[in-house]
Each structure stands twice: as C-alpha cells, then as structure tokens.
Amino acid sequence: MNLSHALIDVRPLRTSPAFRRLLIGRTVSVLGGFMAMVAVMYQVWDMTHSTVWTGAVGLAQALPMVVFGLFAGSWADRGDRRRIFLVATVGQASCSLLLAVQGFLGHVPVAGVLALLAVHSGFGAVGGPASGVFVRRLLPKKEVAAGLALNQISFQAMMLLGPALGGLVLGWAGVGVCYLLDALSFAVAFYAAFRLPALPPEGEPSRTGLHGVVDGLRFLARHRVVRGALITDLAATVLSMPMSLFPLVNAERFGGNPRTLGLFLSAVAVGGVAGSTLSGSITRWGRPGLVMLCGAGTWGATLALFGLTTDPWAGLALLVLAGAADTTSVISRGTIVQTRTPDVLLGRVTAAEQIVGQAGPNLGNLRGGLVAGWTSGATALVSGGLLCLLAVVFVGSSTPELREGTSPDRHDDAAPQLRDAATPDAP
C-alpha cells in the first residue's frame, strides 16, 4: 500500500467547491468556538473561583442539546436545511456578540454569562441537525467517508490550536476580544452556506412536534446498524471517557507534574489529528461498521493499558493511539449514519448523534470521577476500558450487519445534480 493511498482522501476538496467552502467556514467557526470556550472558563473562574460554576459551563452547553436536539432534528426534516442552518448561525453569532459586549463592559452576573452560553448552545442544537445533511447531499456516496474525515481533521486541528490561541488573545486583549473573534468567525460559515441551493428533505416531510420525534426514535429502535453505531459510541464515552481522571492519575503515578498533565491532555488530540491524516485507507475500504468496532475496541483497550502503566512516555504513546482509534471510530460512525439513514430522517438521526456526542462524554467523566472516588484513578481507567471493550464485543457479535460493507442507497443518483446546482460559479 503506497503512502498516498493511506493519507487522508482529499477528493471532496477537488470535486465539490461547495463542500470546500463549507469546510473552510466550519474550520474558522470551530477555531472561534474553542477560543470563546477558553474565555468562558477563564471569566467564570475569575468571577467565582468556584469549580461548581466552572462545572456549570458544561451543563449550560449540554442541556440545550439534550432538551431541544430531537425537536430541532424534526424541524430540519420538515423544512429547508440551508435556511435553518443560516438562522441558527445568525443566532449563534448574535449570542457571541452579546458575550463580547458583556466582556467589554463587565458587571454581568455569572448566571447571565451562562444563560447567554445556553442560548448559544440552543442555536447550535438547531443548526447541527440541519448541517448534518450537507456532506451527504454535496458528495457522492463513495466520497462521504472522506468528507467526514476532512471535517474530523479540521475539528481535531482546531482543538489543538484554538485553546492555545485563545489563551494568547485572552492575555493580550481580554475576554471581550475572544468573544468578538468568535462572533466574526460565523460570517465565514454563513457565507459558505448562503452559497448553497435550497436543501429540502427528499421524501415526505417530518410530522410536526412530538409525532416527528417519535418517528425518528422508532427508526433508531428498528434500524440495527444505526442503532448499533450509536450504542458503540455511548459505550466508548460513558464507560471509558478518561479526561476527568487525568489529574488524579497524574498525581498517583507521575508525581503531579503539571507538564505531564498538559501532555496527557494534548496527546489524545495529537492522536486524533494523526488518525484523520492517515484515514485514506479506511475511508476507501467500504467497511465502516467493522472499522468503527475495531476503533472503539482499541480505544477501550489502550485506556485500560494506560491505567496500568507507570512510565509517562508509554502512557503518552497509549493516549496518542487512543486518540487515533477514537477518531477512526467517529469517522466510521458518521459514515454509517450518513449512508444508512434516509434523507427525510437524517436531521433527527443527526440530532440523536449530536446528543450522544454531548451527553456521553459528560456522563463518562462523571462515571470516572465517581469510580475513582470510591477506588483509585487507575482502577477507574482499567475498569472503564475493559467495560468498553466488552460492550463493543457484545454489539459486534449481536449485530453482524455492522461487520459487513454498507449497502447501496438511492441518494447517489440525486447527488450529482445537486452538486452541479451548488457550484455553478466554482473557481
């Protein structure tokens, strides 16, 4: 196998200028989002010096996703996804602008800052399901996995760059400028989506209100492959999310050195970038279910081994491998959702995937903290990793369809016409 085949597949950047614009817009807005998150954490801590309030930042982000996500997905399956995304983007930019204003003026209570963050997250809950159809509708089926891999490497790279850049801007100009840059970053994403044609659902639109939500849940309950993909992700996050354990394990095993802790926190992201960069082979293979199961199982196994190691360099290597495995699993799960879900249900299924992605890590960090409090950080890591591995083995053995290649679907026939309509003036 030559190196060009192993490296990330960049065909979507060449074949779809619309996708290329969306990727650039997404990258810029994600960068702004990570910078803003550094500002929020710093501002809340500076105002309260309380870990309860800093913990509430995560709650303010996750709760709107959980409460409104499925209803937003039902809305996205009833209307023009492009228009819904544009409205949500304007809403997020407005919230970031209000955060900038309060950052410059000061004297806003911490509850007001968290309220703005919650509204911001609510608009994100609306825009996420709408944008969930973009990759599928702009790319042929054979390039969907490559498009998701490009989205993932963009996210991982900004996760490395964003907090560092946010810290520099924060120290140089203060929280207001961080929030303002986040608000401006949405302009690039808005422009990219504005250039798209209308994107109504293909098929009968979703029913209104709770009926539409129930229809989406019924699909998830009956579709074994998509259900298995989301359960696998829950197993990887709820049972073995390690982030909350790093400070304790660092103190137990490595003397509490803050530099070691910082490297642990970065190693997973470094592995994610490496996994995305070398994703070409797996995205071309056409077996996303098997790749997802192997990736999630490797994630659990490497975290269990990390809990046993006493050598910091071996620990870093294991975390890099865990990050690469997790990214591989995420790309493959997204491919399954995109290629196995009918377009008319894709908003609701994307909303469910978004909820799993938000709630799973938070619950996993809570589980790890509770188990570590009763036992030790190493025990929490090892037990969580092994439980994750067992859950993945169970899902794989009980869902043989996941181990098979994706089946053909009908959206390939419509995609070329949409791609042509979306890029009439492509450079």
Side-chain angles (χ1 to χ4, degrees), residues 38 71 73 87 149 165 169 179 261 292 307 312 315 338 345 350 382 395 418:
V38 171
F71 289 95
V87 170
L165 184 58
V169 174
Y179 294 135
L261 176 60
M292 179 195 67
Q338 292 287 324
L345 285 160
T350 300
V382 173
V395 172
L418 179 57

Side-chain angles (χ1 to χ4, degrees), residues 52-65:
V52 174
W53 280 108
T54 56
V57 171
L59 182 64
Q61 287 185 296
L63 194 59
M65 291 281 184

Side-chain angles (χ1 to χ4, degrees), residues 403-426:
R403 304 192 300 270
E404 301 169 359
T406 55
S407 59
D409 61 23
R410 292 178 294 177
H411 92 267
D412 247 4
D413 298 333
Q417 290 84 354
L418 179 57
R419 291 195 305 277
D420 293 341
T423 58
D425 53 353

Side-chain angles (χ1 to χ4, degrees), residues 147-162:
L148 295 173
L150 288 166
N151 278 341
Q152 186 66 16
I153 194 173
S154 161
F155 178 84
Q156 294 283 356
M158 294 307 102
M159 186 168 68
L160 280 173
L161 177 61

Side-chain angles (χ1 to χ4, degrees), residues 94 143 335 404 422:
S94 300
E143 295 182 13
T335 302
E404 301 169 359

Side-chain angles (χ1 to χ4, degrees), residues 132 136 144 148 219-220 225-227 229-230 288 331-342 345-346 348-351 353 409:
R136 170 170 167 160
V144 166
L148 295 173
F219 170 81
L220 289 174
V225 174
V226 176
R227 184 184 68 215
L230 296 185
I331 293 170
S332 301
R333 185 196 72 231
T335 302
I336 291 169
V337 169
Q338 292 287 324
T339 58
R340 294 295 188 105
T341 306
L345 285 160
L346 192 53
R348 280 162 285 182
V349 175
T350 300
E353 186 183 20
D409 61 23

